[in-house]
């Protein structure tokens, strides 16, 4: 049975996926079919990958498999945001399966029957098989048990599980073959290794003249549309974009009003009286609390913080209400009895020695004794802790709160739990951390409490909710366009517009709004156009109304959409031309050229610059300037160069060539490892790029 369980662990998800698929087929056929009332008459195609259409049922089967596995691990239902991430995972898994399978087929990568048998019971056992059939007592793989298990499949009914398990290890082997094919194709030549070594180890000292672009005011440079278009065409590949929608939205919170608060306070008052008189506390809690009754006995250290402060507590008494934000709690002490473990509460002031020497320890002890004497003579313990304490408790007057036996280091615990009453202990206590001045604020006790807790949230009433919705509905109903939406918002000082540019089609977050999928789906609907105003959405206890102000399709960004970014880039080009023109014909040293140019020119030394770094200390990345400088003879300098943040003239002071490398094998291995770590990811991204993916998930989720 143990072996069957191991196989079940490996393949149970596949059986679950089959069951889910059958359920979708039987129950959801009418709902998800071409004449679906749920989806209208639209196609049920979620997307297309490498020419292969993905229908809803196929996508949902993969999603449900991932969801079931996740919920099994966390032992709770997945949240909306978690399910959004799992849908993304399911989509990527389908891309991986379909697009890569076509690549496997093209390359002829497969696993033969003989190879599969060898993986299961031959000489090259697959790791999953080895793990499932390893004897836990001996740690040895037992091939005979594999054979016995396979022979009993029909009798035990385990064949479907085994088939799925077998398919999983087959797929894993194919993927491993492809990965090996890619990584084994990585090759580093001796020339590459030598060049890499020299780029890292050849060091230059330079002197640099730098004139930043910001030294010329933006207003002094005029950028024309023709220049923007020219720059865009020259750098078009930098402006590839995904689908995006730009939204403006307002939120109307659904929060409890003053009237709601007053009513809630009266309700809590009545509830307190009823709770005090109740004879069946568990039933009362389960009827009136947002959280069920828990009859566990709690040590003082485990009580809610509000009860810590007033312990010891009285049996039968109701404490509260206490609030934490919008959550209110009443606590009733149902029973009191002694438990098996002591609890206590104490404060301390820790004095740490500066080092482990006897002299440092003696000095720390003397300081601790002096502080203790001051406290005995009337000094406030908390104030002294704040002044002299050397750990995190100093900010809270040294308070350690309640703690049970076994939580503190032995010497400290012995001192606290050895005290029979509260108060300052007579002498500092030494532990491995230093010397502790200890004040017992609650002596040891084994007392435990059974607490019945009624916890209620302050929620907006139906009347308050209706009022907020009416405001939202009026805004949506009277706004027929973006301009009307903006004008209507201006009329209400309580409202303000938030703008979110280029929201992706699979986004869950929209600005500060979480779980905003319905809003995103509205923005991407074929029935929504730029200028439209949304209906009212309820997102996270607030009503949201939005307007679509921009629409971007996958491909190259429209010039007008990136005009601001283009303008900044062209402006820097024009500034560079002005600076270079002013430097034309300049002679003398860099310091003299800088002096003639003006106060905006900066000259600085750049020492120990490597070609591989591409950066000049203090200036940042300037790879062109560094590359040109490394090609100079000492004492020579480059012409003015249009750099990343300004115009650069680099003068090579001296160049220290890299030491001769007797053995480049380590460099070759380093380069090979770096390339190997990227090759599989790069290959998948390239395959994904060529798969001509059409993603229509926004229509469904």
């Amino acid at each position: 049975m143990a072996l069957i369980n191991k196989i079940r662990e490996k393949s149970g998800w596949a059986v679950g996926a089959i069951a889910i698929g059958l359920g979708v087929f039987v129950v959801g056929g009418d709902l998800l079919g071409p004449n679906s009332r749920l989806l209208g008459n639209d196609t049920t195609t979620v997307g297309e990958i490498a020419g292969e259409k993905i229908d809803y049922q196929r996508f949902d089967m993969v999603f449900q498999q991932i969801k079931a596995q996740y919920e099994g691990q966390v032992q709770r239902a997945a949240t909306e945001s978690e399910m959004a991430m799992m849908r993304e995972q399911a989509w990527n898994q389908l891309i991986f399966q379909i697009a890569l399978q076509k690549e496997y087929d093209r390359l002829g990568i497969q696993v033969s029957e003989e190879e599969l048998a060898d993986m299961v019971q031959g000489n090259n056992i697959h790791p999953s098989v080895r793990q499932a059939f390893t004897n836990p007592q001996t740690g040895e793989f037992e091939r005979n048990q594999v054979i016995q298990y396979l022979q009993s499949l029909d009798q035990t009914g385990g064949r479907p599980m085994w088939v799925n398990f077998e398919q999983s290890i087959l797929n894993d082997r194919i993927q491993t073959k492809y990965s090996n094919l890619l990584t084994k194709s990585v090759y580093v030549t001796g020339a590459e290794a030598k060049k890499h070594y020299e780029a890292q180890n050849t060091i230059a000292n330079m002197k640099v003249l730098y004139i930043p672009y910001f030294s010329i005011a933006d207003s002094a440079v005029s950028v024309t549309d023709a220049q923007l278009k020219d720059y865009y065409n020259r750098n078009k590949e930098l402006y590839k974009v995904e689908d995006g929608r730009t939204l403006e939205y307002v939120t109307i919170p659904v929060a409890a009003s003053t009237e709601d608060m007053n009513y809630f306070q009266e309700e809590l008052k009545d509830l307190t009286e009823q709770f005090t008189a109740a004879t069946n506390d568990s039933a009362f809690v389960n009827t009136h609390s947002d959280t069920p009754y828990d009859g566990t006995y709690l040590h003082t250290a485990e009580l809610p913080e509000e009860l810590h402060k007033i312990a010891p507590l009285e049996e039968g008494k109701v404490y509260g209400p206490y609030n934490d934000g919008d959550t209110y709690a009443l606590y009733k002490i149902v029973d009191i009895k002694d438990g098996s473990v002591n609890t206590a509460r104490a404060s301390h002031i820790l004095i740490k020695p500066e080092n482990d020497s006897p002299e440092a320890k003696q000095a720390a002890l003397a300081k601790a004794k002096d502080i203790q004497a001051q406290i005995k003579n009337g000094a406030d313990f908390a104030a002294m802790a704040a002044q002299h304490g050397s750990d995190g408790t100093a900010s809270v007057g040294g308070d350690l709160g309640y703690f049970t036996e076994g939580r503190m280091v032995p010497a400290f615990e012995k001192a606290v739990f050895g005290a029979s009453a509260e108060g300052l202990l007579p002498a500092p206590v030494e532990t491995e951390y230093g010397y502790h001045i200890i004040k017992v604020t609650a002596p040891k006790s084994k007392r435990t409490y059974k607490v019945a807790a009624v916890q209620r949230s302050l929620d907006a009433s139906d009347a308050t909710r209706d009022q907020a919705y009416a405001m939202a509905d009026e805004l949506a109903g009277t706004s027929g366009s973006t301009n009307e939406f903006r004008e209507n918002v201006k009329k209400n000082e309580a409202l303000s517009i938030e703008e979110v540019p280029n929201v992706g089609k699979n986004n869950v977050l929209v600005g500060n709004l979480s779980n905003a999928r319905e809003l995103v789906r509205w923005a991407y609907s074929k029935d929504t156009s730029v200028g439209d105003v949304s209906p009212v959405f309820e997102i996270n206890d607030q009503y949201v109304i939005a307007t679509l102000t921009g629409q971007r399709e996958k491909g190259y960004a429209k010039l007008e959409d990136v005009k601001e970014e283009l303008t900044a880039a062209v402006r820097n080009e024009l500034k560079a031309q002005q600076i270079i023109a002013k430097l034309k014909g300049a002679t003398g040293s860099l310091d003299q050229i800088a002096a003639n140019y003006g106060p905006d020119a900066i000259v600085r030394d750049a020492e120990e610059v490597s070609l591989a770094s591409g950066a000049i200390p203090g200036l940042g990345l300037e790879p062109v300037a560094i590359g040109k400088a490394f090609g100079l003879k000492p004492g020579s300098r480059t012409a003015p160069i249009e750099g990343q943040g300004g115009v650069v003239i680099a003068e090579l002071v001296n160049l220290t060539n890299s030491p001769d490398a007797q053995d480049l094998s380590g460099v070759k291995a380093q380069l090979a490892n770096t390339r190997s770590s990227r090759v599989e990811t790069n290959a998948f991204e390239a395959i994904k790029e060529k798969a001509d993916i059409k993603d229509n998930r926004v229509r469904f989720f």
Side-chain angles (χ1 to χ4, degrees):
M1 287 301 293
L3 292 176
I4 293 174
N5 286 336
K6 287 183 179 180
I7 297 299
R8 183 177 290 113
E9 288 173 4
K10 298 289 182 182
S11 57
W13 61 266
V15 176
I18 293 171
I20 292 165
L22 288 173
V24 171
F25 177 76
V26 174
V27 177
D30 291 336
L31 289 176
L32 303 175
N35 299 316
S36 166
R37 288 172 293 172
L38 176 64
L39 300 174
N41 292 321
D42 290 341
T43 177
T44 59
T45 301
V46 174
E48 186 176 315
I49 302 169
E52 190 170 326
K53 291 185 183 297
I54 310 300
D55 63 24
Y56 181 92
Q57 291 183 4
R58 181 176 180 183
F59 176 85
D60 192 57
M61 181 180 292
V62 178
F63 166 71
Q64 293 294 347
Q65 169 193 321
I66 294 171
K67 179 171 175 281
Q69 186 176 8
Y70 177 80
E71 291 181 340
Q73 290 173 344
V74 299
Q75 296 296 304
R76 60 170 174 80
T79 64
E80 282 298 322
S81 59
E82 288 170 337
M83 286 197 288
M85 289 188 289
M86 284 185 275
R87 288 190 185 101
E88 191 68 20
Q89 185 180 347
W91 181 246
N92 284 328
Q93 187 169 315
L94 284 166
I95 294 173
F96 191 85
Q97 290 173 353
I98 295 168
L100 275 178
Q101 186 58 53
K102 291 182 179 295
E103 187 70 5
Y104 299 156
D105 294 342
R106 186 181 71 82
L107 294 170
I109 299 175
Q110 57 184 327
V111 174
S112 67
E113 291 292 333
E114 292 78 11
E115 186 176 358
L116 182 58
D118 188 46
M119 291 162 58
V120 173
Q121 51 183 305
N123 297 321
N124 297 285
I125 303 299
H126 190 277
S128 294
V129 178
R130 183 176 296 280
Q131 181 182 356
F133 291 94
T134 293
N135 188 316
Q137 280 75 39
T138 64
E140 296 293 327
F141 171 68
E142 297 187 352
R143 185 176 283 99
N144 289 336
Q145 287 200 22
V146 179
I147 297 171
Q148 292 173 14
Y149 176 78
L150 294 176
Q151 290 173 345
S152 67
L153 286 176
D154 291 328
Q155 288 78 19
T156 61
R159 186 166 296 280
M161 280 192 301
W162 176 259
V163 168
N164 285 286
F165 175 74
E166 199 173 64
Q167 185 63 45
S168 71
I169 65 173
L170 184 146
N171 291 338
D172 180 68
R173 176 58 61 88
I174 290 177
Q175 184 180 337
T176 300
K177 287 185 176 185
Y178 182 65
S179 177
N180 289 340
L181 178 68
L182 293 172
T183 54
K184 295 298 183 184
S185 69
V186 172
Y187 182 74
V188 179
T189 66
E192 287 178 307
K194 183 179 180 183
K195 184 178 180 181
H196 179 77
Y197 172 80
E198 290 175 348
Q200 287 188 316
N201 294 283
T202 300
I203 302 299
N205 291 329
M206 294 184 259
K207 197 167 188 177
V208 179
L209 169 65
Y210 180 72
I211 304 168
Y213 295 136
F214 62 74
S215 64
I216 299 176
D218 290 350
S219 58
V221 180
S222 178
V223 178
T224 67
D225 289 343
Q227 289 169 328
L228 292 176
K229 186 175 181 180
D230 174 64
Y231 185 90
Y232 176 80
N233 290 333
R234 284 188 283 119
N235 299 277
K236 198 170 183 178
E237 291 302 312
L238 297 177
Y239 299 99
K240 281 186 173 180
V241 295
E242 296 295 325
D243 293 307
R245 299 291 185 269
T246 298
L247 295 165
E248 293 179 9
Y249 69 87
V250 296
T251 59
I252 300 173
V254 182
S257 65
T258 302
E259 291 79 8
D260 295 336
M261 170 62 82
N262 292 337
Y263 179 83
F264 188 73
Q265 292 290 355
E266 287 298 318
E267 187 179 12
L268 281 175
K269 183 178 178 181
D270 293 341
L271 204 60
T272 303
E273 295 175 359
Q274 295 170 25
F275 199 14
T276 302
T279 56
N280 189 331
D281 297 311
S282 60
F284 188 89
V285 169
N286 290 332
T287 301
H288 297 283
S289 178
D290 294 340
T291 56
Y293 176 77
D294 180 359
T296 305
Y297 281 88
L298 303 175
H299 292 284
T300 308
E302 299 168 323
L303 290 171
E305 182 60 30
E306 297 87 355
L307 300 184
H308 274 172
K309 299 173 183 176
I310 55 176
L313 309 170
E314 297 178 30
E315 184 176 341
K317 186 173 180 178
V318 174
Y319 296 88
Y322 303 103
N323 75 293
D324 181 8
D326 288 335
T327 300
Y328 289 74
L330 296 168
Y331 301 108
K332 184 175 183 180
I333 308 305
V334 177
D335 188 28
I336 302 174
K337 70 175 185 178
D338 282 345
S340 58
V341 180
N342 275 311
T343 62
R345 185 171 187 170
S347 297
H348 80 141
I349 304 171
L350 174 61
I351 307 301
K352 294 181 180 180
E354 292 185 359
N355 52 58
D356 291 334
S357 68
E359 294 79 11
K361 289 183 177 180
Q362 190 62 38
L365 177 59
K367 181 178 179 181
K369 287 181 176 179
D370 178 62
I371 294 169
Q372 180 136 2
Q374 293 181 56
I375 296 171
K376 285 181 179 179
N377 291 328
D380 181 71
F381 188 98
M384 297 298 281
Q387 181 180 352
H388 299 287
S390 57
D391 70 345
T393 66
S395 60
V396 290
D399 184 25
L400 292 163
Y402 280 93
F403 49 89
T404 57
E405 288 178 298
R407 290 282 305 280
M408 300 297 181
V409 293
F412 187 96
E413 185 171 287
K414 181 179 179 181
V416 172
F417 286 100
S420 57
E422 63 183 50
L424 186 70
L425 296 188
V429 174
E430 183 182 3
T431 72
E432 57 260 46
Y433 298 106
Y435 295 94
H436 305 258
I437 304 154
I438 302 173
K439 179 182 179 182
V440 176
T441 52
K444 66 180 178 181
S445 170
K446 291 186 177 181
R447 185 174 298 163
T448 62
Y449 301 91
K450 182 187 285 188
V451 181
V454 173
Q455 295 177 312
R456 297 281 290 273
S457 295
L458 172 59
D459 298 319
S461 65
D462 288 343
T464 300
R465 186 173 292 275
D466 290 344
Q467 186 178 1
Y469 182 81
M471 182 189 298
D473 191 47
E474 182 182 3
L475 176 59
T478 57
S479 302
S481 66
T482 296
N483 288 335
E484 289 183 3
F485 174 80
R486 292 168 178 166
E487 289 300 319
N488 287 334
V489 171
K490 286 180 182 178
K491 297 173 185 176
N492 190 334
E493 294 182 355
L495 301 179
S496 61
I497 292 177
E498 298 286 339
E499 182 182 21
V500 186
N502 299 320
V503 176
K505 66 165 60 175
N506 293 312
N507 277 27
V508 176
L509 300 177
V510 176
N512 294 322
L513 303 174
S514 58
N515 299 324
R517 278 301 298 163
E518 288 302 311
L519 177 57
V520 175
R521 291 185 64 199
W522 170 81
Y524 276 89
S525 170
K526 66 181 189 313
D527 298 323
T528 302
S529 303
V530 172
D532 285 355
V533 177
S534 75
V536 179
F537 295 101
E538 186 174 359
I539 303 173
N540 300 337
D541 281 334
Q542 57 190 343
Y543 293 116
V544 178
I545 310 95
T547 179
L548 182 66
T549 60
Q551 183 171 306
R552 186 183 74 183
E553 305 302 332
K554 183 178 180 178
Y556 293 100
K558 295 178 182 178
L559 190 148
E560 55 268 26
D561 291 341
V562 291
K563 188 172 182 178
E564 186 176 343
E565 183 180 346
L566 288 171
T567 300
V570 173
R571 191 187 289 126
N572 281 347
E573 278 194 346
L574 296 176
K575 289 180 179 181
Q577 292 171 13
Q578 290 183 23
I579 295 168
I580 291 171
K582 190 173 178 180
L583 289 170
K584 189 174 182 180
T587 57
S589 67
L590 290 184
D591 291 310
Q592 291 171 330
I593 294 173
N596 291 333
Y597 184 91
D600 295 322
I602 303 167
V603 177
R604 62 178 54 186
D605 294 325
E607 298 182 345
E608 297 188 355
V609 178
S610 71
L611 184 62
S613 72
I616 297 175
L619 301 185
L621 284 173
E622 292 293 350
V624 175
I626 289 177
K628 288 183 178 292
F630 267 76
L632 298 173
K633 293 181 179 179
S636 301
R637 60 173 177 249
T638 67
I641 296 167
E642 179 184 338
Q644 302 289 313
V647 171
V648 180
I649 299 177
E651 182 179 287
L652 181 66
V653 177
N654 59 64
L655 189 70
T656 303
N657 291 320
S658 60
D660 290 336
Q662 302 299 320
D663 182 9
L664 291 171
S665 59
V667 180
K668 292 178 74 172
Q670 177 191 352
L671 282 174
N673 287 335
T674 301
R675 294 179 185 179
S676 295
S677 66
R678 296 197 303 256
V679 66
E680 194 169 359
T681 300
N682 292 344
F684 177 61
E685 289 302 319
I687 293 169
K688 186 177 176 180
E689 181 71 22
K690 297 296 183 182
D692 191 23
I693 295 168
K694 296 179 176 62
D695 185 356
N696 299 323
R697 285 178 292 157
V698 71
R699 292 175 52 247
F700 298 85
F701 315 104

